[in-house]
Amino acid sequence: MRDKIIHKASELFLSLGFKSVTMDDIANELGISKKTIYVHFPNKTKLVEATTSHVFETISCGIDHICGLEKNPIEEVFEIKRFVMDHLKDEKSSPQYQLQKYYPKIFSSLKAKQFEVMQGCVVENLNRGIALGLYRENLDVNFISRIYFNCMVILKDQELFPLKNFSMNALMENYLEYHLRGICTPKGIDYLDKHLKINQNTTYN
């Protein structure tokens, strides 16, 4: 039952937002009483903590799997983006923004864990891209990996990028192209252009 609650709560939080969804909503969706939820989670904060940890672990495992395939580094960047967007349901309710606003301690802890996972993945991607001649060999890998992470975080800032004007999918696609054009060699740019041309029919809604 605990796992069922976590899965349903994750689905609702990502779709509607951490603030919007109540314990009553979750109980109604599962067809159980609110008391049953409180048996496993004494309050909503503990449930939010458990669901964010569950989503983080799911996404981390998926990213590790993609990195383990050792695809072309440029393709890998877009593959990870697609995987993350699928699991975060395009973030139409901006759950991360709500998490930061209403559950700052959980947000800070999650951000630290996200940085640890992304740092390792991005550094490996950059080093492999340099070795393959796709990224410039004079890159400061430690600097680029940190800038990359911080830019990914800032895309979720609704004050800078309100969802009514920017879809998260389009923001991430535009940022990835911006990032790659800044670090690619002519060989890498050629591969990137071919990738973008093949995928130019993608709709950003």
Side-chain angles (χ1 to χ4, degrees):
M1 180 52 72
R2 188 178 192 276
D3 288 343
K4 285 183 179 179
I5 294 169
I6 288 175
H7 279 91
K8 179 54 68 176
S10 299
E11 184 183 306
L12 292 172
F13 286 147
L14 289 176
S15 299
L16 304 170
F18 289 98
K19 176 68 174 174
S20 311
V21 177
T22 66
M23 298 294 250
D24 281 315
D25 293 331
I26 297 165
N28 290 337
E29 282 287 324
L30 285 167
I32 60 176
S33 71
K34 196 161 60 170
K35 286 182 180 179
T36 303
I37 297 178
Y38 285 122
V39 168
H40 301 278
F41 304 98
N43 52 57
K44 186 179 173 182
T45 299
K46 289 294 183 185
L47 179 55
V48 168
E49 197 170 26
T51 54
T52 53
S53 179
H54 165 71
V55 173
F56 170 77
E57 291 299 332
T58 300
I59 291 175
S60 295
C61 287
I63 290 175
D64 286 345
H65 173 72
I66 292 169
C67 291
L69 298 175
E70 294 193 350
K71 293 186 172 189
N72 177 290
I74 294 172
E75 179 59 37
E76 180 180 272
V77 167
F78 286 101
E79 186 70 26
I80 289 172
K81 173 258 171 190
R82 282 191 291 270
F83 173 80
V84 171
M85 293 307 295
D86 284 346
H87 279 75
L88 295 183
K89 303 181 188 299
D90 201 25
E91 298 207 345
K92 288 176 181 172
S93 65
S94 191
Q96 187 146 327
Y97 180 77
Q98 288 195 19
L99 190 68
Q100 182 177 10
K101 187 173 182 179
Y102 300 107
Y103 301 92
K105 287 185 178 179
I106 297 174
F107 173 81
S108 295
S109 173
L110 184 64
K111 185 179 175 183
K113 290 194 290 184
Q114 286 174 334
F115 175 72
E116 189 177 336
V117 169
M118 278 190 67
Q119 180 76 349
C121 181
V122 175
V123 166
E124 192 274 337
N125 179 281
L126 290 169
N127 285 328
R128 204 150 42 83
I130 292 169
L132 292 170
L134 296 169
Y135 301 159
R136 291 184 287 110
E137 61 181 20
N138 62 340
L139 293 180
D140 184 332
V141 170
N142 192 35
F143 170 75
I144 297 293
S145 63
R146 289 167 185 270
I147 286 290
Y148 181 84
F149 175 78
N150 277 286
C151 286
M152 279 297 191
V153 171
I154 210 71
L155 291 180
K156 297 177 175 68
D157 187 331
Q158 279 199 2
E159 292 176 6
L160 276 176
F161 302 106
L163 286 175
K164 64 183 180 188
N165 299 330
F166 302 93
S167 82
M168 187 54 62
N169 193 50
L171 281 173
M172 290 185 74
E173 283 284 333
N174 288 336
Y175 173 64
L176 291 181
E177 181 179 353
Y178 173 85
H179 163 71
L180 289 166
R181 288 197 184 280
I183 66 173
C184 278
T185 60
K187 177 183 174 181
I189 293 290
D190 184 56
Y191 186 93
L192 174 62
D193 285 339
K194 287 175 182 175
H195 171 88
L196 294 174
K197 188 173 182 180
I198 290 169
N199 292 278
Q200 67 184 352
N201 294 325
T202 303
T203 304
Y204 305 136
N205 293 321

